[in-house]
Amino acid sequence: MNSSIKRAEAFCERFGLRVPILLAPMAGASAPSLSIAVAKAGGLGSCGALLMQPHEIVAWSEEVRSKSNGAFQLNTWIPDPAPKRDPTHEMRVREFLEGWGPPVPPEAGSATPPDFNAQCEAMLEAGPPIVSSIMGLFPPKFVAKLKERGITWFANISTVAEARAAEHAGADVIVAQGAEAGGHRGCFDAAKAERQQAGLFALLPAVADAVGVPVVGTGGIADGRGVAAALMLGASAAQIGTGFLRCPEAKIHPSWADALARTAPEDTMVSRVFSGRAGRSIATTYALAATGPEAPHPAPYPVQRGLTAAMRAEGQKEGDIHRMQAWAGQSAALAKAEPAADLTGRLWTDAQALLAG
Ligand SMILES: Cc1cc2nc3c(=O)[nH]c(=O)nc-3n(C[C@H](O)[C@H](O)[C@H](O)COP(=O)(O)O)c2cc1C
């Protein structure tokens, strides 16, 4: 049998999956219904818990576990140190944003995501088979708690050096995120996120050669060809975000789902204009204007996220894609509006045919 298929099958056996297809954790787009559908189809469900309170993390897990076989990962971000505030600069950003949405009060920039340590405790309480990190590494004490409970740690990385550091810190699986990926770039050092944009074709084999633990490929994979390519390049499984967003179970705004279908690879861009952290979105008129020469630099994360909240909420309410946070990977146009179970099954059937042929 093809060695890539064998490697994928070993991964599936270890994690109780029937197909080596992982739904990517997507904060703000992790409807339980999508994970339930993917897990029931033999893949791995997932929750991007960054914006969720501890009780919501536990409730999400209970719902998905009660309606599936319980194959899912919980994911959160490793926090950066608190940003340096600059009220004068923030005022310029607020003035700029008033051209795109409602007035932005000065205190909007003070909004912070839920407490990281409380989220970690909630993830332990929820007792998933897998917990994953992004933007850095879990503290050793938390890693020890995961290991005590038999919870597997998947570490998202975007460079070879980060992969080595994650393996050294005890990560059981490395998730290599290529620059094609939709949403935030998982770089440990936010300042390097735009400069170090390794594409998955280069990153995957380099990471697979650098570490001894299984590697998952993610970023720009959205059909059987991408899954087969990732496996050929050394991955044991493929993790897919944007490719699942048009499934009805994802329940994202229809304007966003429709726009994905029209988005060519070159119609996406990496910028800091939504949250202050680099992320790949559709190149909407706001994203283009906010990166233009006239626009003030975005405030640091998470200040920019707070400052843009009112515009994003209004865009969402009015179905205006140009003012929504329209994250998209470079393969957005491959995403199909079809049930997630059909997609999950076909991704693996098509990949197997290509790998065997
Ligand atoms: C809407 C959206 C939200 C995301 N949120 C998270 C997150 O909270 N945590 C995380 O590890 N990755 C997050 N990501 C990145 C994905 O986990 C994954 O790396 C990416 O979707 C892969 O690229 P693709 O979208 O081309 O499949 C997000 C991606 C998207 C599209």
Side-chain angles (χ1 to χ4, degrees):
M1 194 199 290
N2 176 297
S3 64
S4 303
I5 297 181
K6 267 197 206 151
R7 194 170 54 239
E9 286 186 349
F11 183 90
C12 288
E13 194 172 327
R14 177 165 167 196
F15 295 106
L17 309 176
R18 296 195 304 280
V19 297
I21 305 295
L22 281 48
L23 170 65
M26 293 185 279
S30 286
S33 44
L34 187 55
S35 282
I36 292 164
V38 171
K40 279 172 121 171
L44 186 78
S46 120
C47 176
L50 173 72
L51 305 171
M52 292 163 68
Q53 294 297 341
H55 70 274
E56 295 173 309
I57 296 173
V58 173
W60 187 101
S61 306
E62 281 170 1
E63 179 175 354
V64 175
R65 194 180 286 116
S66 70
K67 294 179 185 166
S68 73
N69 60 356
F72 63 85
Q73 59 168 310
L74 295 178
N75 163 282
T76 197
W77 293 23
I78 310 302
D80 287 330
K84 246 188 153 161
R85 302 291 294 268
D86 178 347
T88 314
H89 179 68
E90 284 177 29
M91 192 175 69
R92 288 193 60 217
V93 176
R94 283 167 35 226
E95 282 167 5
F96 175 81
L97 286 165
E98 282 177 22
W100 293 89
V104 182
E107 64 275 16
S110 304
T112 51
D115 180 68
F116 171 73
N117 290 318
Q119 287 187 327
C120 286
E121 286 307 312
M123 293 198 295
L124 292 177
E125 186 190 334
I130 297 161
V131 158
S132 70
S133 55
I134 188 160
M135 314 295 186
L137 299 171
F138 284 129
K141 269 192 185 155
F142 183 66
V143 175
K145 286 183 184 174
L146 291 176
K147 305 251 170 199
E148 267 167 31
R149 287 166 173 77
I151 299 174
T152 303
W153 174 21
F154 282 25
N156 281 272
I157 58 85
S158 63
T159 66
V160 176
E162 290 171 359
R164 287 206 177 98
E167 182 180 39
H168 186 71
D172 302 293
V173 170
I174 302 293
V175 182
Q177 187 200 46
E180 302 89 338
H184 285 97
R185 294 192 37 66
C187 309
F188 292 9
D189 182 347
K192 294 182 181 162
E194 279 138 313
R195 184 171 61 77
Q196 295 185 330
Q197 291 204 41
L200 198 60
F201 254 72
L203 184 64
L204 250 184
V207 170
D209 289 348
V211 300
V213 295
V215 178
V216 171
T218 195
I221 303 171
D223 65 9
R225 293 172 295 183
V227 174
L231 265 48
M232 285 295 286
L233 291 169
S236 295
Q239 180 167 280
I240 297 175
T242 308
F244 275 110
L245 284 178
R246 294 187 66 220
C247 297
E249 299 93 336
K251 297 181 178 163
I252 65 166
H253 198 291
S255 303
W256 182 15
D258 292 349
L260 292 174
R262 304 188 293 268
T263 300
E266 64 271 27
D267 299 332
T268 68
M269 62 189 278
V270 171
S271 78
R272 297 170 182 258
V273 299
F274 292 105
S275 70
R277 263 263 185 185
R280 185 175 295 282
S281 70
I282 299 176
T284 57
T285 52
Y286 163 71
L288 291 168
T291 49
E294 304 296 314
H297 286 299
Y301 179 88
V303 179
Q304 182 79 3
R305 174 175 257 150
L307 297 178
T308 58
M311 173 196 71
R312 292 186 283 111
E314 195 174 87
Q316 181 88 1
K317 202 166 139 212
E318 295 177 4
D320 178 1
I321 191 68
H322 292 287
R323 295 184 300 141
M324 289 165 62
Q325 183 170 263
W327 296 129
Q330 289 184 331
S331 295
L334 293 177
K336 295 270 185 303
E338 66 177 332
D342 295 353
L343 175 57
T344 305
R346 202 185 58 252
L347 284 164
W348 184 226
T349 310
D350 288 355
Q352 275 178 301
L354 288 165
L355 289 166

